[in-house]
Amino acid sequence: MTTAIDAHVRLDTHPTHPSAVQAVLTGSQAHVALMALEAADWSAAATNVLVLARIDHEEPYWADDAAKHLIAEGITVEITPRLREAIDEEWTWANYPMPWCTRSEIREVSNHAQKIHDDIRHGRLLIHAHAHDGHTTVAVGTYLHPGGKSVYLHGEDHCARSPTPSTHPPRPCSPSRRLTRPRCAPARRP
């Protein structure tokens, strides 16, 4: 049995960002919840307020996942009815380029793309060059930690038309290969 922690997390949809989720933390041990949410890639927006914003717009799903982990640690979590409705909403991703994938496989691929996006945003992955190869944007980058590996990214952000990591697969992925892990994620060079 888990010991209760004096922390309360109220999860709600963000007031101005359509798919983002906001967490408001209270209690004498709110820092415990804060550290757990930051470890799950939530960003501090104000004192004891964190926001989860993702490129795949799957914030409600990941907020529910975070709530389950917090509850397991003994932290009280409140999910507003508005967010609960978003969590329970039937999910479709229009025009997803891998219709043979299950919902969980698509989330696995998009979560990998989110991690690449976060690495770029936080300065851990430096993009050196990009070009259009006639079909899509390709880019090369290097992780900046010692001994950092190079990565090759295929795809683009269709809204900004800029070379960013995408949940779209590189060309080697085909419908005949079902995903068992994020094989359709950007290829890495040894």
Side-chain angles (χ1 to χ4, degrees):
M1 181 167 185
T2 306
T3 306
I5 296 173
D6 183 24
H8 182 271
V9 178
R10 183 177 189 272
L11 298 175
D12 195 359
T13 57
H14 192 274
T16 58
H17 188 288
S19 65
V21 175
Q22 180 173 280
V24 177
L25 315 177
T26 56
S28 64
Q29 294 177 301
H31 65 281
V32 175
L34 180 117
M35 290 187 315
L37 290 173
E38 284 181 334
D41 296 322
W42 291 63
S43 300
T47 303
N48 288 339
V49 177
L50 292 106
V51 173
L52 178 64
R54 296 177 51 92
I55 61 174
D56 59 7
H57 303 293
E58 282 288 306
E59 294 91 337
Y61 171 83
W62 293 104
D64 189 47
D65 185 64
K68 291 172 184 169
H69 284 91
L70 292 171
I71 291 167
E73 294 298 319
I75 296 170
T76 302
V77 177
E78 172 192 355
I79 298 176
T80 65
R82 183 172 47 196
L83 178 56
R84 176 55 59 196
E85 182 180 333
I87 290 168
D88 295 338
E89 185 177 320
E90 184 56 36
W91 180 87
T92 59
W93 192 342
N95 301 319
Y96 193 75
M98 298 184 300
W100 59 90
C101 292
T102 67
R103 185 174 179 173
S104 63
E105 289 169 333
I106 291 170
R107 280 200 175 114
E108 188 177 347
V109 171
S110 68
N111 195 45
H112 186 75
Q114 180 70 41
K115 289 182 186 315
I116 292 170
H117 174 270
D118 292 344
D119 287 344
I120 293 169
R121 186 177 69 139
H122 294 297
R124 294 184 292 261
L125 176 59
L126 175 66
I127 301 300
H128 300 289
H130 68 276
H132 196 274
D133 72 355
H135 301 285
T136 189
T137 301
V138 293
V140 63
T142 302
Y143 279 93
L144 298 178
H145 56 78
K149 304 276 184 185
S150 291
V151 294
Y152 299 89
L153 307 170
H154 298 248
E156 63 184 72
D157 177 343
H158 292 284
C159 296
R161 294 285 182 212
S162 63
T164 57
S166 166
T167 55
H168 298 280
R171 263 182 257 112
C173 191
S174 69
S176 62
R177 285 183 12 192
R178 299 267 317 163
L179 288 177
T180 55
R181 56 186 170 76
R183 247 187 271 191
C184 291
R188 294 185 187 264
R189 184 182 194 185

PDB file of all heavy atoms in Angstrom, residues 39-62:
ATOM      1  N   ALA A  39       9.352  15.112 -15.097  1.00  0.00           N
ATOM      2  CA  ALA A  39      10.019  13.918 -15.615  1.00  0.00           C
ATOM      3  C   ALA A  39       9.218  13.296 -16.765  1.00  0.00           C
ATOM      4  O   ALA A  39       9.779  12.614 -17.617  1.00  0.00           O
ATOM      5  CB  ALA A  39      10.236  12.894 -14.500  1.00  0.00           C
ATOM      6  N   ALA A  40       7.917  13.557 -16.788  1.00  0.00           N
ATOM      7  CA  ALA A  40       7.047  13.052 -17.859  1.00  0.00           C
ATOM      8  C   ALA A  40       6.862  14.102 -18.962  1.00  0.00           C
ATOM      9  O   ALA A  40       5.897  14.050 -19.718  1.00  0.00           O
ATOM     10  CB  ALA A  40       5.690  12.639 -17.279  1.00  0.00           C
ATOM     11  N   ASP A  41       7.770  15.077 -19.018  1.00  0.00           N
ATOM     12  CA  ASP A  41       7.816  16.102 -20.071  1.00  0.00           C
ATOM     13  C   ASP A  41       6.729  17.172 -19.994  1.00  0.00           C
ATOM     14  O   ASP A  41       6.399  17.793 -21.000  1.00  0.00           O
ATOM     15  CB  ASP A  41       7.847  15.464 -21.467  1.00  0.00           C
ATOM     16  CG  ASP A  41       9.107  14.643 -21.680  1.00  0.00           C
ATOM     17  OD1 ASP A  41      10.177  15.076 -21.207  1.00  0.00           O
ATOM     18  OD2 ASP A  41       9.020  13.568 -22.287  1.00  0.00           O
ATOM     19  N   TRP A  42       6.197  17.419 -18.804  1.00  0.00           N
ATOM     20  CA  TRP A  42       5.328  18.569 -18.613  1.00  0.00           C
ATOM     21  C   TRP A  42       6.247  19.773 -18.398  1.00  0.00           C
ATOM     22  O   TRP A  42       7.331  19.640 -17.837  1.00  0.00           O
ATOM     23  CB  TRP A  42       4.436  18.371 -17.394  1.00  0.00           C
ATOM     24  CG  TRP A  42       3.385  17.308 -17.558  1.00  0.00           C
ATOM     25  CD1 TRP A  42       3.580  15.978 -17.758  1.00  0.00           C
ATOM     26  CD2 TRP A  42       1.980  17.497 -17.522  1.00  0.00           C
ATOM     27  NE1 TRP A  42       2.379  15.320 -17.840  1.00  0.00           N
ATOM     28  CE2 TRP A  42       1.379  16.236 -17.697  1.00  0.00           C
ATOM     29  CE3 TRP A  42       1.160  18.613 -17.342  1.00  0.00           C
ATOM     30  CZ2 TRP A  42       0.004  16.063 -17.715  1.00  0.00           C
ATOM     31  CZ3 TRP A  42      -0.205  18.441 -17.350  1.00  0.00           C
ATOM     32  CH2 TRP A  42      -0.781  17.178 -17.544  1.00  0.00           C
ATOM     33  N   SER A  43       5.814  20.951 -18.809  1.00  0.00           N
ATOM     34  CA  SER A  43       6.624  22.167 -18.692  1.00  0.00           C
ATOM     35  C   SER A  43       6.004  23.116 -17.678  1.00  0.00           C
ATOM     36  O   SER A  43       4.787  23.309 -17.656  1.00  0.00           O
ATOM     37  CB  SER A  43       6.715  22.881 -20.040  1.00  0.00           C
ATOM     38  OG  SER A  43       7.307  22.049 -21.001  1.00  0.00           O
ATOM     39  N   ALA A  44       6.873  23.746 -16.868  1.00  0.00           N
ATOM     40  CA  ALA A  44       6.406  24.729 -15.896  1.00  0.00           C
ATOM     41  C   ALA A  44       5.912  25.965 -16.630  1.00  0.00           C
ATOM     42  O   ALA A  44       6.576  26.477 -17.528  1.00  0.00           O
ATOM     43  CB  ALA A  44       7.527  25.095 -14.945  1.00  0.00           C
ATOM     44  N   ALA A  45       4.717  26.430 -16.267  1.00  0.00           N
ATOM     45  CA  ALA A  45       4.138  27.628 -16.864  1.00  0.00           C
ATOM     46  C   ALA A  45       4.093  28.769 -15.847  1.00  0.00           C
ATOM     47  O   ALA A  45       4.153  29.934 -16.209  1.00  0.00           O
ATOM     48  CB  ALA A  45       2.735  27.343 -17.381  1.00  0.00           C
ATOM     49  N   ALA A  46       3.995  28.424 -14.581  1.00  0.00           N
ATOM     50  CA  ALA A  46       3.966  29.379 -13.470  1.00  0.00           C
ATOM     51  C   ALA A  46       4.257  28.565 -12.209  1.00  0.00           C
ATOM     52  O   ALA A  46       4.420  27.344 -12.279  1.00  0.00           O
ATOM     53  CB  ALA A  46       2.611  30.072 -13.377  1.00  0.00           C
ATOM     54  N   THR A  47       4.307  29.226 -11.076  1.00  0.00           N
ATOM     55  CA  THR A  47       4.536  28.503  -9.823  1.00  0.00           C
ATOM     56  C   THR A  47       3.413  27.497  -9.616  1.00  0.00           C
ATOM     57  O   THR A  47       2.235  27.861  -9.604  1.00  0.00           O
ATOM     58  CB  THR A  47       4.595  29.481  -8.629  1.00  0.00           C
ATOM     59  OG1 THR A  47       5.622  30.435  -8.895  1.00  0.00           O
ATOM     60  CG2 THR A  47       4.887  28.746  -7.335  1.00  0.00           C
ATOM     61  N   ASN A  48       3.795  26.219  -9.518  1.00  0.00           N
ATOM     62  CA  ASN A  48       2.857  25.115  -9.316  1.00  0.00           C
ATOM     63  C   ASN A  48       1.805  24.976 -10.413  1.00  0.00           C
ATOM     64  O   ASN A  48       0.707  24.460 -10.166  1.00  0.00           O
ATOM     65  CB  ASN A  48       2.205  25.188  -7.931  1.00  0.00           C
ATOM     66  CG  ASN A  48       3.194  24.825  -6.840  1.00  0.00           C
ATOM     67  OD1 ASN A  48       4.194  24.168  -7.085  1.00  0.00           O
ATOM     68  ND2 ASN A  48       2.927  25.270  -5.629  1.00  0.00           N
ATOM     69  N   VAL A  49       2.138  25.409 -11.614  1.00  0.00           N
ATOM     70  CA  VAL A  49       1.281  25.206 -12.778  1.00  0.00           C
ATOM     71  C   VAL A  49       2.161  24.646 -13.889  1.00  0.00           C
ATOM     72  O   VAL A  49       3.180  25.227 -14.241  1.00  0.00           O
ATOM     73  CB  VAL A  49       0.603  26.512 -13.245  1.00  0.00           C
ATOM     74  CG1 VAL A  49      -0.225  26.273 -14.505  1.00  0.00           C
ATOM     75  CG2 VAL A  49      -0.263  27.097 -12.145  1.00  0.00           C
ATOM     76  N   LEU A  50       1.756  23.501 -14.417  1.00  0.00           N
ATOM     77  CA  LEU A  50       2.494  22.881 -15.512  1.00  0.00           C
ATOM     78  C   LEU A  50       1.563  22.676 -16.697  1.00  0.00           C
ATOM     79  O   LEU A  50       0.346  22.577 -16.523  1.00  0.00           O
ATOM     80  CB  LEU A  50       3.078  21.532 -15.077  1.00  0.00           C
ATOM     81  CG  LEU A  50       4.190  21.651 -14.046  1.00  0.00           C
ATOM     82  CD1 LEU A  50       3.685  21.231 -12.692  1.00  0.00           C
ATOM     83  CD2 LEU A  50       5.360  20.835 -14.466  1.00  0.00           C
ATOM     84  N   VAL A  51       2.162  22.581 -17.886  1.00  0.00           N
ATOM     85  CA  VAL A  51       1.387  22.396 -19.107  1.00  0.00           C
ATOM     86  C   VAL A  51       1.995  21.252 -19.897  1.00  0.00           C
ATOM     87  O   VAL A  51       3.208  21.107 -19.975  1.00  0.00           O
ATOM     88  CB  VAL A  51       1.381  23.685 -19.961  1.00  0.00           C
ATOM     89  CG1 VAL A  51       0.724  23.454 -21.305  1.00  0.00           C
ATOM     90  CG2 VAL A  51       0.678  24.808 -19.221  1.00  0.00           C
ATOM     91  N   LEU A  52       1.125  20.454 -20.472  1.00  0.00           N
ATOM     92  CA  LEU A  52       1.542  19.402 -21.390  1.00  0.00           C
ATOM     93  C   LEU A  52       1.017  19.785 -22.765  1.00  0.00           C
ATOM     94  O   LEU A  52      -0.190  19.901 -22.969  1.00  0.00           O
ATOM     95  CB  LEU A  52       0.968  18.048 -20.965  1.00  0.00           C
ATOM     96  CG  LEU A  52       1.316  16.877 -21.886  1.00  0.00           C
ATOM     97  CD1 LEU A  52       2.818  16.608 -21.889  1.00  0.00           C
ATOM     98  CD2 LEU A  52       0.558  15.623 -21.461  1.00  0.00           C
ATOM     99  N   ALA A  53       1.947  20.032 -23.698  1.00  0.00           N
ATOM    100  CA  ALA A  53       1.586  20.338 -25.085  1.00  0.00           C
ATOM    101  C   ALA A  53       2.436  19.447 -25.971  1.00  0.00           C
ATOM    102  O   ALA A  53       3.646  19.359 -25.792  1.00  0.00           O
ATOM    103  CB  ALA A  53       1.842  21.811 -25.388  1.00  0.00           C
ATOM    104  N   ARG A  54       1.798  18.766 -26.897  1.00  0.00           N
ATOM    105  CA  ARG A  54       2.486  17.792 -27.745  1.00  0.00           C
ATOM    106  C   ARG A  54       2.219  18.076 -29.215  1.00  0.00           C
ATOM    107  O   ARG A  54       1.181  18.627 -29.561  1.00  0.00           O
ATOM    108  CB  ARG A  54       2.016  16.376 -27.403  1.00  0.00           C
ATOM    109  CG  ARG A  54       2.368  15.947 -25.986  1.00  0.00           C
ATOM    110  CD  ARG A  54       1.819  14.564 -25.691  1.00  0.00           C
ATOM    111  NE  ARG A  54       2.174  13.595 -26.692  1.00  0.00           N
ATOM    112  CZ  ARG A  54       3.254  12.797 -26.647  1.00  0.00           C
ATOM    113  NH1 ARG A  54       4.073  12.875 -25.624  1.00  0.00           N
ATOM    114  NH2 ARG A  54       3.494  11.920 -27.612  1.00  0.00           N
ATOM    115  N   ILE A  55       3.134  17.619 -30.073  1.00  0.00           N
ATOM    116  CA  ILE A  55       2.964  17.823 -31.510  1.00  0.00           C
ATOM    117  C   ILE A  55       1.884  16.924 -32.086  1.00  0.00           C
ATOM    118  O   ILE A  55       1.336  17.220 -33.143  1.00  0.00           O
ATOM    119  CB  ILE A  55       4.295  17.629 -32.274  1.00  0.00           C
ATOM    120  CG1 ILE A  55       4.853  16.212 -32.094  1.00  0.00           C
ATOM    121  CG2 ILE A  55       5.291  18.688 -31.864  1.00  0.00           C
ATOM    122  CD1 ILE A  55       6.077  15.902 -32.939  1.00  0.00           C
ATOM    123  N   ASP A  56       1.550  15.835 -31.410  1.00  0.00           N
ATOM    124  CA  ASP A  56       0.543  14.907 -31.925  1.00  0.00           C
ATOM    125  C   ASP A  56      -0.859  15.181 -31.381  1.00  0.00           C
ATOM    126  O   ASP A  56      -1.803  14.490 -31.715  1.00  0.00           O
ATOM    127  CB  ASP A  56       0.937  13.460 -31.638  1.00  0.00           C
ATOM    128  CG  ASP A  56       1.111  13.156 -30.151  1.00  0.00           C
ATOM    129  OD1 ASP A  56       0.804  14.020 -29.303  1.00  0.00           O
ATOM    130  OD2 ASP A  56       1.572  12.039 -29.845  1.00  0.00           O
ATOM    131  N   HIS A  57      -1.005  16.178 -30.526  1.00  0.00           N
ATOM    132  CA  HIS A  57      -2.289  16.565 -29.927  1.00  0.00           C
ATOM    133  C   HIS A  57      -2.907  15.443 -29.097  1.00  0.00           C
ATOM    134  O   HIS A  57      -4.118  15.376 -28.939  1.00  0.00           O
ATOM    135  CB  HIS A  57      -3.273  17.062 -30.986  1.00  0.00           C
ATOM    136  CG  HIS A  57      -2.737  18.202 -31.778  1.00  0.00           C
ATOM    137  ND1 HIS A  57      -2.506  19.441 -31.232  1.00  0.00           N
ATOM    138  CD2 HIS A  57      -2.334  18.276 -33.069  1.00  0.00           C
ATOM    139  CE1 HIS A  57      -2.005  20.229 -32.155  1.00  0.00           C
ATOM    140  NE2 HIS A  57      -1.879  19.551 -33.284  1.00  0.00           N
ATOM    141  N   GLU A  58      -2.071  14.593 -28.546  1.00  0.00           N
ATOM    142  CA  GLU A  58      -2.540  13.481 -27.715  1.00  0.00           C
ATOM    143  C   GLU A  58      -2.422  13.790 -26.225  1.00  0.00           C
ATOM    144  O   GLU A  58      -2.273  12.893 -25.397  1.00  0.00           O
ATOM    145  CB  GLU A  58      -1.721  12.224 -28.044  1.00  0.00           C
ATOM    146  CG  GLU A  58      -2.157  11.559 -29.319  1.00  0.00           C
ATOM    147  CD  GLU A  58      -3.492  10.876 -29.147  1.00  0.00           C
ATOM    148  OE1 GLU A  58      -3.671  10.051 -28.242  1.00  0.00           O
ATOM    149  OE2 GLU A  58      -4.390  11.182 -29.946  1.00  0.00           O
ATOM    150  N   GLU A  59      -2.478  15.062 -25.869  1.00  0.00           N
ATOM    151  CA  GLU A  59      -2.322  15.461 -24.473  1.00  0.00           C
ATOM    152  C   GLU A  59      -3.307  14.777 -23.525  1.00  0.00           C
ATOM    153  O   GLU A  59      -2.901  14.340 -22.443  1.00  0.00           O
ATOM    154  CB  GLU A  59      -2.432  16.983 -24.328  1.00  0.00           C
ATOM    155  CG  GLU A  59      -1.318  17.746 -24.975  1.00  0.00           C
ATOM    156  CD  GLU A  59      -1.587  18.158 -26.411  1.00  0.00           C
ATOM    157  OE1 GLU A  59      -2.435  17.520 -27.097  1.00  0.00           O
ATOM    158  OE2 GLU A  59      -0.940  19.115 -26.871  1.00  0.00           O
ATOM    159  N   PRO A  60      -4.596  14.652 -23.874  1.00  0.00           N
ATOM    160  CA  PRO A  60      -5.514  13.985 -22.945  1.00  0.00           C
ATOM    161  C   PRO A  60      -5.083  12.551 -22.614  1.00  0.00           C
ATOM    162  O   PRO A  60      -5.145  12.129 -21.452  1.00  0.00           O
ATOM    163  CB  PRO A  60      -6.857  14.022 -23.668  1.00  0.00           C
ATOM    164  CG  PRO A  60      -6.762  15.232 -24.541  1.00  0.00           C
ATOM    165  CD  PRO A  60      -5.326  15.239 -25.006  1.00  0.00           C
ATOM    166  N   TYR A  61      -4.629  11.815 -23.612  1.00  0.00           N
ATOM    167  CA  TYR A  61      -4.175  10.443 -23.375  1.00  0.00           C
ATOM    168  C   TYR A  61      -2.994  10.421 -22.398  1.00  0.00           C
ATOM    169  O   TYR A  61      -2.977   9.653 -21.440  1.00  0.00           O
ATOM    170  CB  TYR A  61      -3.776   9.785 -24.698  1.00  0.00           C
ATOM    171  CG  TYR A  61      -3.102   8.443 -24.508  1.00  0.00           C
ATOM    172  CD1 TYR A  61      -3.861   7.296 -24.321  1.00  0.00           C
ATOM    173  CD2 TYR A  61      -1.714   8.332 -24.483  1.00  0.00           C
ATOM    174  CE1 TYR A  61      -3.252   6.064 -24.124  1.00  0.00           C
ATOM    175  CE2 TYR A  61      -1.094   7.096 -24.287  1.00  0.00           C
ATOM    176  CZ  TYR A  61      -1.866   5.977 -24.109  1.00  0.00           C
ATOM    177  OH  TYR A  61      -1.257   4.769 -23.904  1.00  0.00           O
ATOM    178  N   TRP A  62      -1.990  11.272 -22.654  1.00  0.00           N
ATOM    179  CA  TRP A  62      -0.794  11.281 -21.802  1.00  0.00           C
ATOM    180  C   TRP A  62      -1.085  11.888 -20.427  1.00  0.00           C
ATOM    181  O   TRP A  62      -0.440  11.525 -19.440  1.00  0.00           O
ATOM    182  CB  TRP A  62       0.353  11.988 -22.516  1.00  0.00           C
ATOM    183  CG  TRP A  62       0.790  11.180 -23.707  1.00  0.00           C
ATOM    184  CD1 TRP A  62       0.528  11.436 -25.018  1.00  0.00           C
ATOM    185  CD2 TRP A  62       1.484   9.929 -23.674  1.00  0.00           C
ATOM    186  NE1 TRP A  62       1.036  10.433 -25.809  1.00  0.00           N
ATOM    187  CE2 TRP A  62       1.631   9.499 -25.009  1.00  0.00           C
ATOM    188  CE3 TRP A  62       2.012   9.138 -22.653  1.00  0.00           C
ATOM    189  CZ2 TRP A  62       2.275   8.314 -25.354  1.00  0.00           C
ATOM    190  CZ3 TRP A  62       2.652   7.965 -22.996  1.00  0.00           C
ATOM    191  CH2 TRP A  62       2.785   7.555 -24.331  1.00  0.00           C
TER     192      TRP A  62
END
